[in-house]
Structure formats: C-alpha cells, structure tokens
Amino acid sequence: EETTEFFLSECTLSEAEYTKMLMTYPQCLGMSIDNRLRPAIDFFRDDIGAYKWKWIVVRYPQIFRNANVLRPGGHFMYEKLNLEQWADLGQIASKYPPVFWLSEQTIAPKLEFLQQALKLSTDELRDILVTYPQLLGLSLDDNLRPTVEFLMSNNGADLTVSQLSYFVSYQPALLAYSLEKRIKPRMERMREANIRLEYSTPVIMSYTDKKFDRWLEQQTATWSIS
C-alpha cells in the first residue's frame, strides 16, 4: 500500500515503529500523503530540525491530524518567546510536540501569567519554556496558578517572587508536580522539621519519595532553620 511504502521507505521507519504508530493512531492510513502525512513530517524533520522526529511520529501520530496548524503554531511560539533560531523550536518539539497544535488562545494566557507572576524577562521565559515546554500543556487554573500561589503564600512555601523565579528557572518542572500529592505533603513535613524551602536544594520536589525521606532525615539530624 502507498501509505505503508511512504512510512517504511521514504520516512525510514522500522516495521516495529510503524506498527506501534498504527496501533496508536490507525486513522493515519486514510489520510492524504501530500496534504497531511508529508507536510507534518517535513515540518518536524526539515523545517525545525527536530532530532527526535521519528519518536514524534511514533509517539504523537496526532501530528497528522493537526498538520495544517503546525507551521502557524511554530511561528506563534517563535515570535512569542522571542526565539533566536528555529533550532529552539526543534528542542521544544523533541520534548513536547503537542505545543504546536495548542491554540493561541490556550497558550497566550499561560505565557502572560508566568511572565507576570514570576516577574520574568522575555529571555528568562524563553529559557524556561525551551527547557520544559510541558508547562504549556498544564491547566492555568487547575495547575499553574494554584501551584504558584501556594509556593508564594504564607501558608505555603512562603517564597518571594525572586526566590520562586530562581527555583523555576533552575528546575521548570517544579510547577508540574502535583500540588496535592507531592508539593503540599512535602512542605508540611519540612515545616514540621523547621526547614524552609528557600534554604533547600531547588530540585527537592524532583526527589523520589525514598530520596526525599533520606534527605529530610539528614537535615533534621544536622541542622534546621526556622
């Protein structure tokens, strides 16, 4: 079949990769090669040089359904983040491809919130999102805003804007961890031990539960700051 030949020969997918893609999204078999399949692959592989383009094809075959919005989405991100080169879009794509088919109405409020709430420069915002574009896939009202507010509230981590900006710049994934299941429980245990987040390693929320337990035990055995 023409579509199979396209993926295996022109795109050089392995049979295992092709099979996995079809199991995830069999609808691509009925799509136009010239209007959907090839334009989507050309965008990721050639236009922005995403080095993981085959992984994108296999893991996110929804790119074909959204082929017509990929380039507009790329231009929007390029301009909004003041990117210096198209290769930056390749980095973003290799980490979180769905950002290219999220609507401008979905992305723009998140960019505005992050920049205003954390007092970020355009360059700082760009660096954070090139490093961890998954933030743009989070809900503004259910994830980003509540987490930021908790981390800066007196009843939360009580960080200043500059402190939180540093933490997020150092590890953008901080804002992606579950507020209820990870951040709040760990902050409660740290408060009980009189340990403030601002004096802790900025990657503390990325620790596994076992590593966090071990870290907390070491801190309480040596020093604490109230």
Side-chain angles (χ1 to χ4, degrees):
E1 185 183 316
E2 187 179 6
T3 301
T4 299
E5 181 71 12
F6 168 75
F7 281 112
L8 296 182
S9 298
E10 185 172 330
C11 302
T12 66
L13 293 186
S14 69
E15 290 191 7
E17 290 171 329
Y18 182 52
T19 299
K20 184 175 181 179
M21 182 194 71
L22 290 182
M23 290 179 64
T24 303
Y25 197 69
Q27 296 94 320
C28 64
L29 285 176
M31 293 182 175
S32 166
I33 292 176
D34 292 330
N35 295 329
R36 292 283 182 176
L37 306 183
R38 186 177 287 115
I41 289 178
D42 285 348
F43 172 75
F44 287 107
R45 181 185 60 191
D46 303 325
D47 291 1
I48 64 176
Y51 68 95
K52 293 173 63 176
W53 69 269
K54 285 188 180 180
W55 171 81
I56 294 172
V57 169
V58 175
R59 177 66 178 81
Y60 292 93
Q62 307 96 308
I63 61 173
F64 303 122
R65 183 184 63 210
N66 296 286
N68 62 326
V69 301
L70 297 177
R71 283 185 177 85
H75 282 288
F76 173 75
M77 291 294 294
Y78 189 85
E79 294 174 0
K80 277 291 184 179
L81 295 181
N82 195 30
L83 299 179
E84 298 176 345
Q85 52 189 358
W86 277 93
D88 289 334
L89 287 176
Q91 288 191 53
I92 291 173
S94 295
K95 296 171 182 175
Y96 189 63
V99 75
F100 292 94
W101 59 82
L102 293 176
S103 70
E104 295 181 13
Q105 292 77 14
T106 297
I107 293 178
K110 299 174 187 178
L111 296 176
E112 182 179 357
F113 170 75
L114 289 170
Q115 188 160 24
Q116 292 183 356
L118 302 180
K119 303 271 193 300
L120 300 172
S121 67
T122 300
D123 288 347
E124 289 170 333
L125 180 64
R126 178 193 65 218
D127 290 345
I128 286 171
L129 293 175
V130 169
T131 300
Y132 197 76
Q134 292 90 330
L135 289 180
L136 295 177
L138 298 175
S139 166
L140 175 57
D141 293 326
D142 295 335
N143 301 113
L144 292 174
R145 194 189 308 277
T147 299
V148 168
E149 290 177 349
F150 175 80
L151 290 172
M152 289 197 296
S153 72
N154 293 333
N155 295 325
D158 200 21
L159 296 177
T160 65
V161 172
S162 61
Q163 288 169 344
L164 181 55
S165 297
Y166 167 75
F167 270 65
V168 174
S169 295
Y170 193 93
Q171 190 192 40
L174 170 64
L175 298 183
Y177 292 119
S178 171
L179 180 60
E180 299 299 330
K181 295 181 179 180
R182 176 167 296 202
I183 296 177
K184 284 186 176 180
R186 291 190 179 184
M187 283 306 310
E188 180 62 29
R189 293 181 62 191
M190 290 170 67
R191 275 196 298 270
E192 292 174 354
N194 291 320
I195 298 174
R196 294 178 62 86
L197 181 60
E198 64 196 83
Y199 298 117
S200 307
T201 171
V203 297
I204 189 63
M205 294 301 168
S206 71
Y207 284 1
T208 62
D209 288 340
K210 185 175 180 180
K211 187 174 182 180
F212 177 77
D213 291 343
R214 187 165 59 248
W215 174 85
L216 189 62
E217 183 179 353
Q218 291 173 345
Q219 303 307 304
T220 55
T222 55
W223 59 273
S224 65
I225 298 177
S226 59

